[in-house]
């Protein structure tokens, strides 16, 4: 016996309301013009991925991982949140879950954030280069893969 087929199509009698805002538009409006990290990076045409940005911010103490119980109550969920130092570049806004926040960024301050993170990376590189030079002067073989 052949299986019945089901066709799913948009209801032509009910077109989308052009005045209805998308979820992303509502988020931006709720955040007072702040953008998600992904959207702010995209607006700057920055090739950096949000995960990399968050790792660098975490390293510099601008971001921490908050925790909340899962909706079912059987696990702990983690979410990123801005610290007081990170809030100079954005804000923690309420999310879907009452115990969770979402990070939103000032798009005009993102270049300052990237510059601060870049300076920290340059300082780290200089420090590691100095350690390598000290090892070489002490007669230890320099291993380019082990700088720390």
């Amino acid at each position: 016996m052949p299986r019945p087929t089901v066709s799913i199509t948009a209801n032509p009698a009910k077109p989308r309301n052009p005045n209805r805002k998308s979820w992303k538009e509502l988020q931006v409006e709720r955040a007072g013009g702040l953008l998600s990290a992904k959207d702010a990076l995209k607006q700057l045409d920055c090739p950096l991925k949000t995960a990399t940005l968050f790792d660098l911010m975490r390293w510099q103490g601008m971001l921490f991982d908050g925790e909340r119980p899962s909706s079912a109550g059987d696990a702990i969920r983690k979410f990123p949140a801005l610290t007081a130092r990170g809030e100079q570049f954005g804000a923690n806004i309420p999310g879907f879950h009452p115990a969770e926040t979402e990070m939103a960024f000032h798009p005009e301050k993102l270049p300052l954030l990237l510059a601060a993170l870049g300076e920290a990376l340059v300082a780290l590189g200089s420090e590691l280069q100095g350690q390598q030079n000290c090892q070489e002067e002490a007669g230890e073989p320099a291993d380019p893969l082990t700088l720390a």
Side-chain angles (χ1 to χ4, degrees):
M1 175 180 228
R3 296 176 121 182
T5 59
V6 177
S7 173
I8 300 174
T9 59
N11 185 349
K14 193 172 182 181
R16 185 178 185 278
N17 181 349
N19 296 324
R20 184 174 175 205
K21 295 181 180 176
S22 70
W23 169 244
K24 187 171 279 194
E25 291 169 329
L26 289 172
Q27 274 186 309
V28 169
E29 185 177 288
R30 182 182 64 184
L34 301 177
L35 298 175
S36 69
K38 182 178 180 178
D39 290 341
L41 289 168
K42 184 187 270 187
Q43 191 176 53
L44 289 175
D45 291 327
C46 179
L48 197 66
K49 299 210 180 295
T50 55
T52 305
L53 175 67
F54 292 168
D55 285 343
L56 291 170
M57 290 179 70
R58 195 175 282 112
W59 170 59
Q60 285 299 297
M62 298 176 182
L63 183 145
F64 73 98
D65 290 316
E67 294 182 347
R68 67 163 179 86
S70 68
S71 300
D74 60 346
I76 299 293
R77 301 282 186 225
K78 291 187 177 189
F79 61 93
L82 296 171
T83 63
R85 186 167 176 222
E87 285 183 335
Q88 62 185 318
F89 304 105
N92 293 315
I93 59 173
F96 278 123
H97 193 280
E100 185 173 331
T101 61
E102 295 178 19
M103 297 182 300
F105 294 85
H106 297 285
E108 69 278 0
K109 291 186 179 179
L110 196 62
L112 298 173
L113 171 60
L114 295 173
L117 294 172
E119 288 173 10
L121 283 170
V122 168
L124 176 64
S126 296
E127 180 183 327
L128 294 175
Q129 185 64 42
Q131 288 176 6
Q132 184 179 11
N133 290 342
C134 288
Q135 288 175 349
E136 289 172 358
E137 290 172 5
E140 297 176 21
D143 183 356
L145 299 177
T146 313
L147 296 177

